[in-house]
Amino acid sequence: MSRMDSISAAAGPQTVECAAVRAALRAHVERARSAEDPTAVHGLRVTCARLEVFLRLARWSVLRGDLRWLRRAASSVRDLDVLLEGESAAPARTEFVDTLQRARESARAEFRSTLEHERCQALLEALENTPQVSVRAARPPFERLVERVRERGEQLTHAPQEFERFHALRRALRRLRYAREWLELDCAAIRALQDELGALNDALVLEAWVERARGAPPDASHAAASPPSDRVQSLSAAALRAWRHARREILEIPA
Amino acid sequence: MKLLIVRHAIAADPVEGQRDSARPLTSAGKRKFEGVVRGLKRLDVKLDLLLHSPLLRAVETADLMNALVEGEARVTSLLARAPTKALIEALDEPRVALVGHEPYVSELVAWLVTGERQLARAFPFRKGGVAFLEGEPVPGQMFLASMLTPAQLRAIGKKK
């Protein structure tokens, strides 16, 4: 029985606490400070996102922006790590790989300066005192996260040609998944949909970088000058089908 | 710029074995400070930036001020120690609030208004009290518009 399912049957308050994830964040920060460690960068990004959702469930408005600030710096590095992993295997595209590597070095320098910023240390210190979350009290913020996924899904269904809407659904789903994980609810349906949306996002990010390497403005969005490739169109169709298939299950709120 | 300097609300007494940074607000402290925030709302206070110390009592006080924030909240260790130039340099928005601790908040007001930190005792804060400063954030060049106690702000925030 999940925590949410057990609310009505529980005799006393049930709580969730984040000490282990908090400790993991601290460890990732230390490792990322001391060495070039892609797993620490990835771990830091994930733990920041998980803690941000934990604070939502705790109904805290503060520290969430600080976690997003730290996560953004890690994401810039991580996204390029992922691209480089894929592209390094293609020797014919060395110039493009060079472009990615230069961008990664720049992102890495910014990330290092973020890790050394006093705000990062202050954030770690403040997180030491995060409260426990009562499962019962977490229900309203949990329901808001479900509602956000519903809204993003409807917006996508109305305009699936706008790739930003896939991204918006992906972000809303990520938060809902972490909330479900904190509350020990099943996440299989969300994970499967995340895989589809993740594949689309990776393809879009890659194509945006290819455009950039060709001289497009650096802020060129996914809806850039070139029409979407066959691969992107196929992945977006698959992601939309996956959303329609999983929608009901994902939006279900435990009694 | 408009600068609010806030001392954290009433916190629990230290418990043996507890870190000072982990002292939470008391229930009464939270309730009273909610009244302070209502007073600030009545005064039409809106914030582009809310900086707060990482100590729990300041984090919780800042959280209660969230309704006033139109920009972002940031945690900073610069508010858990004596004020420095780095703190003043962080005041980079038109409407900023700082949530910190004594004696540092008094020292900051003294520094910004008179240019002399040692006059801190002339600017005492009650817990949950607020100083309203205006002008360029340069030591000795800010104008102290008012310094209100939590009771005054709660009275301002009371419904008729």
Side-chain angles (χ1 to χ4, degrees), chain B residues 1-50:
Chain B
M1 73 172 296
K2 290 187 174 180
L3 176 64
L4 272 67
I5 301 178
V6 183
R7 185 183 179 193
H8 66 79
I10 299 168
D13 290 332
V15 175
E16 198 175 323
Q18 183 188 42
R19 285 171 291 116
D20 177 62
S21 64
R23 284 199 289 129
L25 300 185
T26 61
S27 300
K30 282 183 185 173
R31 196 179 60 249
K32 287 181 173 183
F33 196 76
E34 283 166 355
V36 168
V37 172
R38 279 194 291 275
L40 292 172
K41 268 189 192 167
R42 174 71 65 87
L43 294 174
D44 204 25
V45 168
K46 290 169 186 162
L47 301 170
D48 303 303
L49 177 62
L50 173 62

Side-chain angles (χ1 to χ4, degrees), chain A residues 190-213:
Chain A
I190 294 184
R191 273 199 210 100
L193 180 55
Q194 280 183 305
D195 287 345
E196 301 283 354
L197 290 166
L200 171 62
N201 187 65
D202 290 349
L204 285 166
V205 169
L206 176 62
E207 292 191 6
W209 271 100
V210 170
E211 288 282 322
R212 193 188 290 194

Side-chain angles (χ1 to χ4, degrees), chain A residues 59-63 65-66 72 118-119 121-123 125-130, chain B residues 19 21-22 52 54-56 59-60 62-63 66 72-78:
Chain A
R59 301 179 185 211
W60 268 23
S61 56
V62 285
L63 303 182
D66 302 290
R72 265 196 305 275
E118 63 83 18
R119 186 180 179 187
Q121 199 52 43
L123 171 62
E125 191 180 335
L127 287 171
E128 288 300 313
N129 300 314
T130 44
Chain B
R19 285 171 291 116
S21 64
H52 61 88
L55 278 58
L56 181 57
V59 173
E60 290 186 331
D63 197 50
N66 183 55
E72 68 165 342
R74 278 188 227 155
V75 64
T76 174
S77 52
L78 299 173

Side-chain angles (χ1 to χ4, degrees), chain A residues 121-177:
Chain A
Q121 199 52 43
L123 171 62
L124 295 176
E125 191 180 335
L127 287 171
E128 288 300 313
N129 300 314
T130 44
Q132 292 191 328
V133 170
S134 145
V135 172
R136 192 183 295 270
R139 181 175 279 274
F142 176 81
E143 289 178 357
R144 278 196 292 278
L145 291 172
V146 174
E147 186 53 33
R148 178 56 66 94
V149 169
R150 183 196 311 278
E151 285 168 9
R152 295 298 186 232
E154 281 174 10
Q155 287 164 358
L156 169 65
T157 310
H158 289 136
Q161 72 281 7
E162 292 179 17
F163 293 120
E164 289 80 5
R165 300 199 176 194
F166 285 95
H167 186 55
L169 175 61
R170 185 167 157 263
R171 281 193 307 189
L173 273 171
R174 183 180 65 222
R175 289 182 179 139
L176 180 58
R177 173 183 158 182

Side-chain angles (χ1 to χ4, degrees), chain B:
Chain B
M1 73 172 296
K2 290 187 174 180
L3 176 64
L4 272 67
I5 301 178
V6 183
R7 185 183 179 193
H8 66 79
I10 299 168
D13 290 332
V15 175
E16 198 175 323
Q18 183 188 42
R19 285 171 291 116
D20 177 62
S21 64
R23 284 199 289 129
L25 300 185
T26 61
S27 300
K30 282 183 185 173
R31 196 179 60 249
K32 287 181 173 183
F33 196 76
E34 283 166 355
V36 168
V37 172
R38 279 194 291 275
L40 292 172
K41 268 189 192 167
R42 174 71 65 87
L43 294 174
D44 204 25
V45 168
K46 290 169 186 162
L47 301 170
D48 303 303
L49 177 62
L50 173 62
L51 294 171
H52 61 88
S53 135
L55 278 58
L56 181 57
R57 51 195 184 275
V59 173
E60 290 186 331
T61 303
D63 197 50
L64 293 171
M65 292 177 69
N66 183 55
L68 309 172
V69 179
E70 295 184 338
E72 68 165 342
R74 278 188 227 155
V75 64
T76 174
S77 52
L78 299 173
L79 281 162
R81 61 176 85 133
T84 58
K85 278 187 180 172
L87 175 59
I88 293 177
E89 283 164 9
L91 308 179
D92 56 2
E93 295 284 351
R95 304 169 300 178
V96 179
L98 309 177
V99 181
H101 311 267
E102 281 287 45
Y104 310 135
V105 283
S106 289
E107 196 176 324
L108 180 60
V109 173
W111 194 25
L112 288 171
V113 173
T114 70
E116 296 183 41
R117 295 156 181 263
Q118 60 271 33
L119 292 177
R121 283 187 180 180
F123 303 95
F125 277 78
R126 303 293 298 266
K127 286 172 184 156
V130 181
F132 297 75
L133 280 68
E134 292 180 10
E136 283 300 302
V138 175
Q141 293 189 25
M142 290 201 86
F143 170 71
L144 178 60
S146 66
M147 211 165 167
L148 297 179
T149 64
Q152 286 172 309
L153 282 162
R154 283 197 300 275
I156 291 168
K158 268 189 184 157
K159 287 182 182 168
K160 289 173 189 171

